[in-house]
Amino acid sequence: MEITDAIAEGLLRTVMKNAVILHQNPGDYDARAEVMWAGSIAHNDLTGCGNDGGDFMSHKLEHEMGGMFDVTHGAGLSAIWPSWARTVYKDALPRFVRYARNVMGITAEASEEEIAFMWIAAMENI
């Protein structure tokens, strides 16, 4: 679903932008409100509409590992997501390319597979 992916892309861009602001100024009310609103939208399953719910295996893995190693959900996901992405990218290659371009602004002229890996690397380096 075009609109569902566009919403997810917007949520990612919003969180990335405002996380930088909050890193500099944790008390910034507007940036905190943007992140909280993005989280609410992401967690009400709006980003799963029309796409069979997506692949949430990385979340399931993190819940198990987070419990075993006492890490926060976000920290655990940031550790697990890149390995998961490298495993499944071929199943959704056009979406990986779209997110690379629309979320991370990757404009390189390269194969779709190379662009997918650029996105994964960019996400690791945020």
Side-chain angles (χ1 to χ4, degrees):
M1 292 295 293
E2 173 93 16
I3 189 73
T4 301
D5 281 348
I7 290 167
E9 292 163 4
L11 291 171
L12 285 167
R13 286 190 305 268
T14 297
V15 170
M16 288 168 38
K17 173 186 171 187
N18 287 284
V20 171
I21 295 168
L22 289 171
H23 184 72
Q24 303 274 328
N25 180 9
D28 187 307
Y29 179 86
D30 292 332
R32 192 165 295 281
E34 291 285 351
V35 170
M36 296 305 291
W37 181 230
S40 294
I41 292 171
H43 283 90
N44 74 8
D45 203 28
L46 185 59
T47 57
C49 291
N51 63 12
D52 294 330
D55 179 348
F56 277 86
M57 189 51 64
S58 59
H59 279 265
K60 291 178 183 180
L61 288 168
E62 193 293 318
H63 281 293
E64 296 300 319
M65 293 187 68
M68 292 170 58
F69 298 104
D70 193 31
V71 298
T72 64
H73 187 56
L77 282 172
S78 69
I80 290 170
W81 185 86
S83 294
W84 167 85
R86 285 186 184 92
T87 301
V88 303
Y89 78 93
K90 287 182 182 178
D91 296 329
L93 188 56
R95 290 179 86 198
F96 271 70
V97 171
R98 177 186 167 137
Y99 278 57
R101 298 211 186 279
N102 295 345
V103 175
M104 300 307 285
I106 295 171
T107 59
E109 293 297 323
S111 72
E112 287 189 336
E113 189 166 319
E114 290 169 325
I115 292 168
F117 279 105
M118 287 178 206
W119 178 47
I120 295 166
M123 291 294 285
E124 287 178 303
N125 291 314
I126 290 180

